[in-house]
Structure formats: structure tokens, C-alpha cells
Amino acid sequence: MSISPDVMQAEALQNKAWPYEEARKVLARYPNGVPAGHTVIFETGYGPSGLPHIGTFGEVVRTTMVRRAFEAMAPGVKTKLIAFSDDMDGLRKVPDGIPNPEMLREDLGKPLTQVRDPFGTHPSFGAHNNARLRAFLDSFGFDYSFMSSTECYASGMFDATLRLILANYDTVTGIILPTLGPERRATYSPFLPVDPVTGHVLQVPIIAHDVEAGTVTYVRPGTGEQVTVPVTGGHCKLQWKVDWAMRWLGLRVDYEMAGKDLIDSVMLSGKIVRALGGNPPAGFNYELFLDAEGQKISKSKGNGLTIEQWLDYGPPESLALYMYQNPKKAKRLHYDVIPRAIEDYADFLGRYPEQPLEQQLGNPVHHIHEGAPPAPALPVSFSLLLNLASVAATDDPARLWGFVRKYAPGSSPETHPMLDRLVHHAAAYARDFVVPGLKRRAPTPEEAAALRDLDARLAAVGENADAEAYQFEVYEAGKAAGYANLRDWFKALYEILIGSENGPRMGGFIALYGLGASRALIAGALTQAG
């Protein structure tokens, strides 16, 4: 059903889903309406001293959700998402796992776009990582405009704002100094000269600044020589908190989110923007991810889950859902969260077509798919596929498809591409995380008697029954065995037949795995009982 922009706008303006809450902050920046022809700017930042990671994805996908929510509230208003690379930063240390580390050690202190590329594929290390960022964002279909710090500084795009900061040198410095320790305070300057001889980005005291000439003067380390350079044209870079403020002001950024660890930096940069006569962007501070032990994820420690690892075991939609849910709450980012994210995504997708507009706009798949989620077409759940792969002890997607076709005739990788992806993910996840931990136990005499009864009931139902018929007999066998709480019966079935405390809906599993194979599981368990 087609929904008019007016109806969508009215609902978006009052919807309580967090992307709309955030978009209303952007709308509030324009109390008299967005001027005709004006472009509303959303931004995300990236430090190209390392490769794009799962946090990069999270920030871009969440910002995109807010951007699309804003567009629903302000139809016809132009928007832009800037993916900004801080590639003029000086290389401070050699990243782990990089080829030719000696080459990078020789280039320490230079802007990333002047550091030689250890991979040998691009003009610089910064260019290499920028290319990886763009390929990364393109692979997910993000709509963005890439901007390079080096190019912005060198082209003169930031010149007017740099001169404004120079004219307010003491004010800007006064905002930062109280946050620094005594040693750093004695040498601090918002401007970092790029030395014309060494090419290094220097963190040195500025001994003089000339507003009219647009220059700063410093003493070159090791020589004692006084050097004067322009603050414009890429001859200086700003310290990062001031740089952030300058970027917000110079690019007229309306919205940027950041991690909780940057709350103080956001406040300082915002204070600088206001001191310079601007209005800092709206945004929020998202919580950081935790590892399996509840510790903060660190790239240097390598204790997190990479985006490549997630995508080995789950589709990108499941990762986008994980990023959508509770962005202001700390969450574990570990392998064991992937199956639940996949199941939740399928559940939200299945509900969407029948929901009224208000609920659709609050449904995560609306934001994951930018308002146009695909039709649900998953005749088999991921948990069922996972249990099937585990019990069958197979990581062969073709074998799993053999079971699926019996359960859902007419389905195939061609007709159900999403299901095909889940088949592959289930096979890989079961192989690496489920099968190694499975441990079937022998049934007690009472459980063995209940299993014999269940086997007889299933045999009486026959091969061509549906999942509901099998499920009914599972329930009846549990009742006949005297289970006051049928959850205990199902738990026993999972532990005895599958080797896990949790499992699928048994009727669906029997229909998918096949009656003969399911009865063989029961027979094997009864053999263990003696």
C-alpha cells in the first residue's frame, strides 16, 4: 500500500522510535523551516590509521537511520551524509599486523597521506585506508559523500574557519587549557604546524601568532630555528578537539553522533563552536560494545568481534538490527548474540506487512531497509536450521537444502535467496560453535518410557503429517508421561536427542529432519538407556 508523504510526515513527526527522536533534534535547529535550497548535513568521522571496523559500520548505519527519519519529517529537503576521514593526522605508532612495519616506523609523525603505503597499492597509507573505507561503505550500499581532511585543508576549504580560530586564539586556547595537565598546558597550541623540512605534524609551543598575516611561529625541534608558516592551505593542522569544532563550523554539520567515551570531547568542541559564533550539531553519545566477559572492546587487544566475523555467521541485516537496538545501552558483541539477532530480524520482518503505520515506523526493519523492507519469505527459521545442521552434524549447505525442500516444497536458493544465505550461515555457525559443544545424555528409565511412547505416536501419525501434527503428539507424550510442566519434557528431549539445554519447536524439527531420521534419534537414545 502506497502512503502519501503528508501522511508519512505526520506520523514521523510524532513517532517514538529513536531515529525519529533524533531527527526531531535536527528539525529543531530550523525553527522557521529549512531554507529553500539548503542541504542538511549529517556527518560521521573515521580515523584512517587503521582499517574500517564494526564500530565504523555502527556509526554510519545509525546516522543513516536518523537521516532517513529526518527526510520523512521534512520531505523535499536536501540532505547529505559526509564520511570524513581524518587523514591529515600524524602517524603516532605502527599498527599491529601491517606489512613492512619498518617503512612506517621511518614515517612516524608524518600526515597519514604522506606516509608510504606498506601494502604497495596506493600513493600513501592514508589513501590505502581511505580506499578500504569507501569500498567498505559501498559494499553495504550506503549513500554518502567522502571527504578527506588533507584535501579540505590543502584546497582552502577550511581557510576562513582557520583564520577565525586564529583571530580567537586566546579564547579557543582558554577553553582547552583547563582540561589539560600542567606539562601539556605549558606547550599547548590549537595549531599543529606541518614542518616544511621534515614533513612532520609537530606538537610544539607556538611562540607567536599573527592574525593579520595569518601565520604562526614555532621553534623547530633539534635546531632551535624559528619557523613561520601560514595556518591556511594545509601548512597547519588543528589539534583534534579544535579540529572537530572547526569541521562542524566549516562544513555546517547539523548532526553527528559519537561514542560515550567522547562525551567530554563533544562538550569541549561544542563550546568552541559556540565561542566562534556557531551552533554545534545535534547528536547523541552511543554506548560502547563489550566482549564476552563484559570488558570494553579494544582494537589493540583484539577482544571484539570483527565485521567480517559477524558476516561469516549472519547476514548484514542482522548486524544492522543489532546496531538499531538500544544504541544507548552497553551490549555484548560476541558470537553468541548472532543467532538471536537473526531470529529477531526475521520476526520483525514477518510482522511488518500487517502492522499499522505507527508500528511500522517503530519496526526496526523499516529503518534497516530505509522504509522499504522486502517481503518476508522464510519458511524455515534460523534456529531450526541451526539445530538441523547440529543434529545432522553437517556443514554442507546442499545437504541442508535437501531437508528444507522436503519441508517447504518449491523452495530453492533461486526462489528464496535470503533463506539460502541463512542455510550457509547456519552450517558455518553450527560447525564452529554448536557441534563442538553438543553432549547428548542417556535418558532415565522414566524418560525412556516416554520416548518409547512418543516413538509409537509418531509412527502412527506417519511420514506425510505436518509440523503441527507432530507437535501435538510430542505434547501428548509429555502429558501421558506425567510432566506437570511440559517445559521439563522439552528440556529432556533437547538434552537427550540434540545435546543442548535449548532447542527448536519439536514438531517443526521432526517435519524438517524427517520422521525416519527423527525416530532414528529416539532409537539411538533408547540404546543408550539400555
Side-chain angles (χ1 to χ4, degrees):
M1 181 179 67
S2 178
I3 299 169
S4 73
D6 289 346
V7 172
M8 182 68 76
Q9 180 184 29
E11 181 53 48
L13 286 168
Q14 62 183 355
N15 197 275
K16 290 183 170 58
W18 73 259
Y20 294 110
E21 298 279 11
E22 291 302 303
R24 277 190 281 276
K25 296 178 185 177
V26 181
L27 202 62
R29 295 169 63 82
Y30 299 91
N32 298 317
V34 180
H38 181 79
T39 299
V40 174
I41 304 296
F42 297 79
E43 185 184 51
T44 63
Y46 166 67
S49 57
L51 299 177
H53 53 86
I54 206 161
T56 309
F57 173 85
E59 196 164 307
V60 177
V61 75
R62 286 167 172 164
T63 304
T64 296
M65 289 173 179
V66 177
R67 178 188 180 190
R68 299 308 181 205
F70 174 82
E71 290 172 344
M73 292 179 176
V77 173
K78 293 180 181 178
T79 67
K80 179 193 288 187
L81 171 60
I82 295 174
F84 193 93
S85 172
D86 290 309
D87 58 15
M88 199 172 165
D89 282 348
L91 180 66
R92 297 181 181 88
K93 66 176 183 178
V94 178
D96 294 334
I98 296 292
N100 302 312
E102 305 81 11
M103 178 190 298
L104 265 66
R105 266 190 283 277
E106 292 173 2
D107 288 350
L108 286 173
K110 292 183 178 180
L112 290 163
T113 44
Q114 296 303 315
V115 174
R116 289 167 291 172
D117 179 19
F119 297 93
T121 58
H122 291 79
S124 70
F125 187 42
H128 174 272
N129 287 347
N130 284 341
R132 291 289 296 271
L133 171 69
R134 298 176 76 167
F136 173 84
L137 297 179
D138 291 343
S139 70
F140 290 103
F142 288 118
D143 175 27
Y144 68 97
S145 296
F146 175 80
M147 295 187 79
S148 154
S149 177
T150 299
E151 292 175 3
C152 290
Y153 271 97
S155 69
M157 180 182 291
F158 289 154
D159 282 0
T161 314
L162 289 165
R163 283 184 170 276
L164 179 63
I165 291 170
L166 186 63
N168 290 272
Y169 187 96
D170 293 335
T171 300
V172 171
T173 302
I175 291 171
I176 299 293
L177 289 183
T179 69
L180 305 176
E183 264 188 58
R184 186 72 191 92
R185 200 179 301 156
T187 62
Y188 179 81
S189 166
F191 289 95
L192 303 176
V194 180
D195 190 82
V197 174
T198 65
H200 290 174
V201 181
L202 300 178
Q203 193 166 281
V204 293
I206 297 299
I207 60 174
H209 62 276
D210 187 327
V211 175
E212 187 173 340
T215 61
V216 293
T217 301
Y218 64 96
V219 176
R220 178 176 289 138
T223 69
E225 177 186 2
Q226 290 190 8
V227 182
T228 299
V229 293
V231 299
T232 53
H235 298 285
C236 281
K237 185 193 181 300
L238 292 172
Q239 289 274 6
W240 83 270
K241 291 171 186 175
V242 184
D243 184 273
W244 207 3
M246 181 271 296
R247 189 197 314 165
W248 286 347
L249 195 61
L251 298 178
R252 297 180 295 105
V253 176
D254 290 288
Y255 187 88
E256 181 163 2
M257 61 179 66
K260 186 180 178 181
D261 55 336
L262 296 178
I263 287 176
D264 291 342
S265 300
V266 169
M267 292 176 65
L268 273 177
S269 297
K271 194 172 181 180
I272 292 168
V273 171
R274 283 186 285 270
L276 298 174
N279 182 18
F284 77 94
N285 294 100
Y286 52 83
E287 262 288 2
L288 306 179
F289 295 117
L290 308 175
D291 66 12
E293 280 71 48
Q295 300 298 311
K296 175 185 167 184
I297 281 178
S298 164
K299 283 191 291 181
S300 60
K301 290 181 183 176
N303 62 335
L305 188 64
T306 69
I307 195 162
E308 292 81 10
Q309 288 167 331
W310 184 296
L311 296 179
D312 282 341
Y313 305 111
E317 294 89 346
S318 65
L319 179 56
L321 173 65
Y322 191 77
M323 294 299 174
Y324 176 90
Q325 293 173 311
N326 302 311
K328 296 184 182 180
K329 179 181 177 182
K331 296 187 293 185
R332 291 172 65 257
L333 187 59
H334 195 252
Y335 292 107
D336 58 7
V337 306
I338 298 175
R340 175 62 184 273
I342 298 173
E343 286 286 272
D344 285 349
Y345 169 77
D347 182 49
F348 285 121
L349 189 64
R351 289 189 218 169
Y352 188 85
E354 305 304 320
Q355 290 178 319
L357 181 59
E358 175 189 359
Q359 292 179 14
Q360 285 185 333
L361 268 56
N363 187 323
V365 299
H366 182 87
H367 302 277
I368 291 168
H369 295 286
E370 300 188 3
L378 294 174
V380 181
S381 71
F382 184 72
S383 63
L384 205 52
L385 290 171
L386 202 53
N387 280 283
L388 176 63
S390 303
V391 173
T394 181
D395 61 359
D396 181 5
R399 188 177 172 205
L400 291 182
W401 262 110
F403 292 110
V404 171
R405 285 192 184 93
K406 291 179 185 177
Y407 181 80
S411 63
S412 69
E414 293 72 32
T415 60
H416 291 73
M418 174 57 127
L419 180 58
D420 186 48
R421 285 192 285 153
L422 294 189
V423 165
H424 283 76
H425 291 314
Y429 193 93
R431 177 195 65 215
D432 294 343
F433 300 110
V434 182
V435 172
L438 292 180
K439 189 175 181 181
R440 297 185 180 97
R441 67 170 176 83
T444 65
E446 294 78 15
E447 290 167 341
L451 283 170
R452 290 188 188 95
D453 179 44
L454 174 60
D455 183 58
R457 290 172 180 273
L458 293 177
V461 172
E463 282 280 0
N464 297 321
D466 60 17
E468 291 305 317
Y470 293 134
Q471 185 73 10
F472 176 79
E473 297 303 337
V474 175
Y475 273 114
E476 291 302 305
K479 291 176 186 175
Y483 281 92
N485 186 344
L486 285 175
R487 287 185 181 180
D488 294 334
W489 167 232
F490 282 101
K491 183 173 182 287
L493 289 175
Y494 299 146
E495 291 174 347
I496 295 165
L497 301 181
I498 296 175
S500 171
E501 289 187 359
N502 301 294
R505 196 167 188 269
M506 288 305 299
F509 174 77
I510 294 166
L512 180 60
Y513 194 43
L515 179 61
S518 299
R519 292 186 65 201
L521 281 179
I522 295 173
L526 291 173
T527 301
Q528 280 189 300

